[in-house]
Amino acid sequence: MDGTKPAMESNAEETQDEGQESKGCFECCIKCLGGVPYASLVATILCFSGVALFCGCGHVALTGTLTMLENHFSRTPSDHATLAMVIQIFQYIIYGIASFFFVYAIILLAEGFYTTSAIKKELQSDFKTTVCGRCITAFFMFLTYILFLAFLAIFGFTAIPVFLFFNVWNTCAAMKSPNITSPDSICVDVRQYGIIPLNATPGKACGSTLGDICNTSEFYLSYHLYIVAFAGAGATVIALIHYLMILAANWAYLKSAVSTHEYQDIKTKDDQDLEAEARSKEGQNSSSYS
């Protein structure tokens, strides 16, 4: 009996130590998870997804569009030289957009981590945010608003090729209708859209030629890639709106926390003055009695 008692006590101590360690790990995990800015994390994932879809699909769709025009609508290189240069410029812009938003989204996510931790520390302790920190949040809010307007314009611009390809797709579908007696009279003239010059040859496709164009992989792939790129641009716009709401809320929280600390400092100073005045009166009363 005497030998089993120390063993039981040691086992109880080990169990207690393990319970304390597991409790400490659990509290540490909860503390770490509480410091994650989930709103910024969701906006970052949405931004990455939208920019990746827009840039990747847009780049491939532009290449496919140029190939389709060269093969079917503008067989003279000089007729579509300007278009080829514009498409190349757009592709370089896509490279820049992808690189910029990759870095900018990471910066906003880091700013979200910083602001979330700063707000919690300021509410729970005597930690105070600086004017520089609040100015950085305001600067990111202004820059994100400018980027939102720019990408909103890109979103609208991306709808143009979707509309053009949709018209061609509908024309090809109309040719297959049994009500159409002379499908060879149905044509699509891309010169009217200003994509290629008016003197470009052949410039248009009719009947079976138009049907063959709609069945090519370049047309089918480019059309659907433009739709995905359009959706990606929309997702990026939503992500930027989400970032704007997050930054505005963080700035308001920081400003409110500063006002709260200023009020607490003034109240503490007044309490100290009242306490000092009360002590001085007590000292005067005690001296007069003596």
Side-chain angles (χ1 to χ4, degrees):
M1 294 293 292
D2 295 336
T4 58
K5 189 174 181 180
M8 293 175 63
E9 292 179 353
S10 63
N11 291 333
E13 291 177 356
E14 290 178 358
T15 305
Q16 186 177 2
D17 293 338
E18 291 177 357
Q20 291 178 354
E21 290 179 0
S22 61
K23 185 178 179 181
C25 293
F26 178 76
E27 292 178 352
C28 182
C29 292
I30 294 299
K31 186 177 180 181
C32 292
L33 291 176
V36 176
Y38 293 102
S40 297
L41 186 61
V42 171
T44 302
I45 294 174
L46 185 61
C47 183
F48 279 161
S49 302
V51 172
L53 290 175
F54 171 75
C55 295
C57 296
H59 186 278
V60 178
L62 287 172
T63 303
T65 302
L66 182 60
T67 302
M68 185 181 65
L69 290 173
E70 290 176 346
N71 294 335
H72 303 286
F73 294 100
S74 178
R75 295 189 176 93
T76 304
S78 59
D79 292 339
H80 57 267
T82 303
L83 178 63
M85 182 181 65
V86 171
I87 287 178
Q88 188 176 16
I89 292 173
F90 281 160
Q91 289 176 336
Y92 284 128
I93 292 175
I94 285 175
Y95 296 148
I97 290 174
S99 303
F100 174 79
F101 271 91
F102 177 77
V103 176
Y104 189 67
I106 292 178
I107 292 175
L108 288 182
L109 181 61
E111 197 272 343
F113 273 101
Y114 162 75
T115 307
T116 301
S117 61
I119 291 173
K120 288 190 175 183
K121 288 180 180 179
E122 189 153 6
L123 294 176
Q124 296 174 1
S125 64
D126 294 332
F127 177 82
K128 294 183 180 181
T129 58
T130 61
V131 177
C132 181
R134 298 193 296 273
C135 289
I136 290 175
T137 301
F139 170 75
F140 280 131
M141 187 166 54
F142 172 75
L143 183 58
T144 304
Y145 180 72
I146 298 299
L147 293 174
F148 160 72
L149 294 178
F151 228 94
L152 188 63
I154 294 174
F155 176 68
F157 180 77
T158 311
I160 297 176
V162 175
F163 175 73
L164 297 180
F165 273 79
F166 177 74
N167 285 339
V168 177
W169 183 277
N170 273 347
T171 305
C172 292
M175 291 174 53
K176 301 176 182 178
S177 175
N179 298 326
I180 302 298
T181 56
S182 56
D184 292 336
S185 62
I186 299 178
C187 301
V188 171
D189 192 347
V190 297
R191 294 174 295 187
Q192 64 180 341
Y193 299 117
I195 300 174
I196 55 178
L198 294 176
N199 57 356
T201 55
K204 65 178 182 179
C206 303
S208 59
T209 304
L210 179 60
D212 294 338
I213 293 174
C214 292
N215 292 327
T216 58
S217 60
E218 290 87 2
F219 177 84
Y220 183 84
L221 183 62
S222 298
Y223 176 43
H224 290 85
L225 286 178
Y226 277 127
I227 294 175
V228 177
F230 180 71
T236 306
V237 170
I238 295 174
L240 291 173
I241 294 175
H242 201 167
Y243 275 131
L244 275 176
M245 294 189 294
I246 294 168
L247 291 169
N250 288 341
W251 187 82
Y253 286 144
L254 291 175
K255 186 177 180 181
S256 176
V258 170
S259 301
T260 302
H261 268 290
E262 290 177 353
Y263 170 75
Q264 290 176 351
D265 291 341
I266 294 173
K267 185 178 179 181
T268 302
K269 186 177 180 181
D270 291 340
D271 292 340
Q272 290 176 353
D273 293 340
L274 291 174
E275 186 178 354
E277 185 177 355
R279 288 179 179 177
S280 63
K281 288 183 179 180
E282 289 178 359
Q284 291 177 0
N285 293 332
S286 61
S287 61
S288 62
Y289 287 134
S290 61

